[in-house]
Amino acid sequence: MRIVIAEDLALLREGLIRILRANSFEVVEAVDNGPALIRSLTTHRPDVAIVDVRLPPTFTDEGLRSAIEARRQIPGLPIMVLSQYVEQIYARELMSDRAGAVGYLLKDRVTDVDQFVASVRQVATGSTVMDPDVVSALLTHRSADPKLLELSPREHEVLTLMAEGRSNAAIAARMFVTEKTVSNHSNNIFTKLGLKPSEDDNRRILAVLAYLEG
Amino acid sequence: MTRSALAQRMSLLGWSLVLLPGAVLGAVLATLWITSISIAALGAGIPLTLLATVLVRWFADLHRQWAAARLGEPVPARPYQPTPDAGWPVRLWTILRDPATWRDWIWLVVNSITIWLSCGLSLLFFVCGVVYLTYPLIYQLTPSQVFRTPMGEGFRLHSVAQSFGLVPLGPVFLLLWYVTAVRLANLNARVIRALLGPTEQARLRARVRQLATSRAETVDTQAGELRRIERDLHDGAQARLVSLGMSLGLAEQLLPNDPQAVKQLLAEARESTSSALTELRDLVRGIHPPVLADRGLDGALNALALVNPIPVTVVTRLPGRLPAPIESAAYFAVAEALSNAIKHAQAQQIRITVEFAPHHRGGAAGELTMLVSDDGRGGASIDSGTGLRGIVRRLAAFDGTLTVDSPPGGPTEVRMSLPCVS
């Protein structure tokens, strides 16, 4: 799998390259600023881009804005954004074009290497992965919604894991139940939230997140 | 409109009846004061001077209030220097050295003249108007010798019929009174303001005092903030890094013999880095939220609204980015007011309105107004909690203000403003 990395801190950039190479990804280019990121993405067209939110030259949300701009030029380009902080407002902007996979994770999630690598693969294959912090904030924000109140605690848990981009198998393993139970739960969730069931993982997550966003 | 305009003039007429005798009283006070000073050398004059001073200042205060109400301005602060808690000669000396004392005295003298030109003239116009309008009646009711010469010796009335000739003068004088009443009263108020208001020097002195206070508070707050950051770093992230080092050291030692234990230690070490990062993140958010740096006040407030359990509407009208210290102060003030509302108000809906108005009070600076309103149970006040008082202190460093309108039962509106250059 071909990857472009944008990270301005050399230590972290090297660390990311090391982790990804050790897990048999091909890092085609590693850049350290916004304009270079757009150039690199349009040239290499990688399977997934891993982007730090804060990049030179502005040192604000240059990375995020460059990624969104690159995706305008390459529709559907999978993007995984890493950040020292997660902000719902950024998650919303990332998903605003409703096309293609996005990931939005706290930088420290990288330290759980297995989970991080799995997340990168999921985004590359078209799923959406949200940081648990974003998901829990979204759920708290919407907790007054009567539709969400109808969910049982178990279903709530499944919804959260789903929004984090986990597959039914992963959710089953995490909750110590069978995959069939998870799929029952998810069907109930879709019914209660008034969403049409779909086989497509990516659309499922997008639909859930779209609902949570309001 | 005419009704209230007339009522205003009638009330000014009433005031003339108070202020005119007041001017006489003022002249008496001035005489009393100057007399008591001149005999102060004899000793007996000292307490009398002090008493006269208290009376003069009380009398001047009444006029300050009247002038402020007339001109629609806040009542100016008393310009007097504080009297020391010492012996009478020292107090007398302080009073005599205070320029405000002499300005009071000058005002007493000037006022006894100007009051006749303003209130007196106004009253005269009115009385003339009424008298001329009712001249035939007065002529009829009084002994024939009394009101025969309404305009001096040159013109003598011989009958009631002739006296009707004077009636048209009534409306002329009443019109004159109506047109000039407010202006004359304002003139009087301006004289009072000029002589009894704080001088430029006194104003500067008060401003310096206020700045010194707010600077002391700012320095205190900053120092407290630095102590908190130091403590949080020391007890949090730093301690976690030490424990991380210890776990890794032990893992290194155990590696050849107990790979299982090493795996456990490494997992713990990773946990430690996560916790340290979480703590650092919270700390940084408390110092300067990254989203504020990235997106400015508008973006940061929207981000703040997104993560709240109560629906929050944000409306901003800002001319792009404001200076960083202003953005920061405004952000934390709104965030604190918002968390106050969430914690105490039991509101269903919160609304944040932030607006920038350029050229405030005609100066070069603009004004940033922040409104946090909720439909909760009300009863919030600056005195009741530390939250709002903290905001007041934060804003004071920028000459900002905070007012709370929160009747019991709600709704609550917290209005904050910051003067700033955009």
Side-chain angles (χ1 to χ4, degrees), chain B residues 89-155:
Chain B
V90 179
R91 291 208 220 168
L92 182 67
W93 182 233
T94 312
I95 290 168
L96 288 181
R97 271 194 330 181
D98 188 349
T101 305
W102 299 100
R103 280 158 54 84
D104 278 1
W105 192 82
I106 292 167
W107 168 73
L108 283 177
V109 174
V110 170
N111 189 55
S112 61
I113 301 160
T114 52
I115 200 85
W116 294 103
L117 290 176
S118 56
C119 292
L121 192 59
S122 193
L123 187 65
L124 184 69
F125 284 156
F126 182 77
V127 169
C128 282
V130 171
V131 165
Y132 285 125
L133 205 57
T134 56
Y135 212 89
L137 193 64
I138 294 172
Y139 189 82
Q140 182 74 24
L141 292 180
T142 51
S144 57
Q145 297 303 314
V146 183
F147 281 93
R148 282 176 64 188
T149 53
M151 290 173 155
E153 284 301 317
F155 178 63

Side-chain angles (χ1 to χ4, degrees), chain B residues 159-402:
Chain B
S159 67
V160 177
Q162 274 183 342
S163 70
F164 272 99
L166 290 168
V167 170
L169 280 177
V172 171
F173 273 103
L174 282 180
L175 187 69
L176 205 55
W177 164 74
Y178 188 88
V179 171
T180 57
V182 172
R183 279 170 214 181
L184 286 171
N186 285 354
L187 178 73
N188 187 30
R190 287 207 188 86
V191 171
I192 294 173
R193 180 176 65 181
L195 288 170
L196 290 186
T199 55
E200 186 67 4
Q201 200 193 11
R203 230 174 39 69
L204 286 175
R205 216 172 13 232
R207 176 81 178 134
V208 167
R209 215 169 14 240
Q210 180 207 345
L211 285 177
T213 312
S214 82
R215 188 190 57 178
E217 272 181 4
T218 309
V219 169
D220 276 356
T221 313
Q222 293 284 358
E225 194 73 343
L226 284 178
R227 265 198 306 281
R228 183 184 66 80
I229 293 168
E230 187 272 334
R231 206 171 41 236
D232 284 359
L233 280 175
H234 186 264
D235 299 349
Q238 235 171 1
R240 290 203 190 273
L241 286 175
V242 171
S243 114
L244 173 69
M246 294 195 296
S247 298
L248 290 176
L250 188 57
E252 204 174 9
Q253 197 185 27
L254 290 180
L255 189 58
N257 306 320
D258 194 348
Q260 202 50 46
V262 170
K263 197 171 178 197
Q264 175 75 27
L265 280 170
L266 288 176
E268 276 173 26
R270 195 161 54 74
E271 282 293 306
S272 264
T273 61
S274 281
S275 314
L277 284 166
T278 309
E279 277 164 16
L280 284 174
R281 226 179 339 259
D282 290 345
L283 195 62
V284 170
R285 251 189 241 282
I287 300 169
H288 193 75
V291 69
L292 181 61
D294 290 354
R295 293 295 172 89
L297 193 53
D298 178 42
L301 290 179
N302 275 302
L304 191 65
L306 275 178
V307 290
N308 270 301
I310 302 170
V312 179
T313 322
V314 180
V315 180
T316 55
R317 277 183 282 272
L318 297 170
R321 298 290 295 257
L322 297 169
I326 296 289
E327 274 192 342
S328 179
Y331 174 83
F332 281 110
V334 173
E336 182 68 43
L338 180 64
S339 80
N340 240 25
I342 290 167
K343 253 189 280 178
H344 307 300
Q346 293 167 359
Q348 300 295 312
Q349 178 80 41
I350 300 177
R351 198 179 158 80
I352 298 172
T353 315
V354 178
E355 257 179 305
F356 179 81
H359 302 302
H360 160 66
R361 286 180 211 135
E367 183 166 38
L368 185 67
T369 317
M370 299 152 280
L371 227 61
V372 178
S373 42
D374 66 62
D375 57 358
R377 62 192 173 129
S381 88
I382 296 177
D383 306 319
S384 67
T386 54
L388 289 176
R389 204 157 346 125
I391 307 176
V392 171
R393 253 205 306 271
R394 252 183 212 277
L395 294 178
F398 294 85
D399 276 338
T401 55
L402 180 147

Side-chain angles (χ1 to χ4, degrees), chain A residues 61 84 87 90 93 111 141, chain B residues 270 281 294-295 306 308:
Chain A
D61 52 355
Q84 215 69 263
E87 286 290 348
Y90 292 168
E93 286 172 9
T111 58
H141 179 49
Chain B
R270 195 161 54 74
R281 226 179 339 259
D294 290 354
R295 293 295 172 89
L306 275 178
N308 270 301

